Amino acid sequence: MKYMFASDIHGSAYYCRKVLEAYHRHGARRLILLGDLLYHGPRNELPRDYDPKQVFAALNEYKDQIYAVRGNCDSEVDQMVLEFPMMADYGLLALNGKTFYATHGHVFHREALPPMRPGDILIHGHTHLPVAETMGECYLLNPGSASLPKDGNPGSYGILDGTVFTIYDFDGGKVKEITL
């Protein structure tokens, strides 16, 4: 099965549309959002077409297809307008025979790992940097940022297809890939 991971939309209606277009193009079964959905945050510039109302309206149309966790810029006020739960700090997902610890990345990350067993996967956003690498006997994944990428990276998202995790830019180019 295919699953799509995206993070750090930060209220950009433009990049929210790009995420949803990619979701359809890949034919993913679920859209897993790793936080920072509606608000741009005090340290960030306004993203392209900043319009949180359009973002929550668009995402709510997919409420039965979204798994989401809370980012450091997400709040209870955001949950009031979103029709799917997103206030959990993490989610444990069993996808294609693999265990994913999905979180935003501001609490659990490379330097502060959650309890993990060999073969487990930590996937998070927050850093706005795409990552697909091994970490000892585990894996560390980050689909990058949809709207505010850093260090010259493009806006990106991740697709899990079987045991292959690929990070794509919005033009369809492969940014990184790893077999889990």
Side-chain angles (χ1 to χ4, degrees):
M1 295 237 179
K2 285 186 184 178
Y3 298 90
M4 181 171 170
F5 293 82
S7 189
D8 299 285
I9 296 171
H10 286 290
S12 169
Y14 177 83
Y15 285 105
C16 182
R17 284 189 299 275
K18 291 285 196 184
V19 164
L20 295 173
E21 288 167 4
Y23 177 67
H24 284 288
R25 187 171 56 254
H26 287 281
R29 181 168 188 237
R30 295 275 186 197
L31 175 57
I32 301 156
L33 299 174
L34 300 173
D36 286 359
L37 306 179
L38 302 181
Y39 182 54
H40 70 287
R43 296 177 296 177
N44 297 314
E45 299 296 323
L46 283 175
R48 181 175 178 176
D49 295 344
Y50 181 69
D51 191 340
K53 287 182 180 180
Q54 280 189 36
V55 172
F56 78 71
L59 292 177
N60 283 342
E61 291 182 30
Y62 295 85
K63 65 185 173 187
D64 62 337
Q65 299 169 54
I66 292 176
Y67 297 148
V69 295
R70 180 183 66 86
N72 61 309
C73 292
D74 296 322
S75 71
E76 291 177 21
V77 172
D78 298 335
Q79 183 62 82
M80 292 171 66
V81 298
L82 291 167
E83 296 174 4
F84 53 88
M86 53 70 73
M87 290 302 291
D89 287 327
Y90 66 91
L92 293 175
L93 306 172
L95 306 175
N96 300 343
K98 301 288 184 180
T99 301
F100 285 76
Y101 190 99
T103 189
H104 180 61
H106 63 293
V107 175
F108 293 107
H109 45 80
R110 179 191 310 272
E111 288 80 33
L113 297 172
M116 295 176 70
R117 299 184 65 152
D120 285 353
I121 300 146
L122 173 61
I123 185 163
H124 67 80
H126 184 61
T127 63
H128 299 223
L129 299 170
V131 176
E133 60 189 40
T134 57
M135 195 174 50
E137 295 182 73
C138 297
Y139 298 91
L140 178 64
L141 306 176
N142 186 326
S145 174
S147 69
L148 297 168
K150 292 186 178 175
D151 290 352
N153 287 292
S156 58
Y157 60 92
I159 295 289
L160 176 66
D161 188 356
T163 59
V164 176
F165 183 80
T166 307
I167 300 171
Y168 293 96
D169 64 29
F170 289 110
D171 292 326
K174 287 184 183 182
V175 176
K176 293 185 182 276
E177 186 171 84
I178 191 169
T179 299
L180 307 172

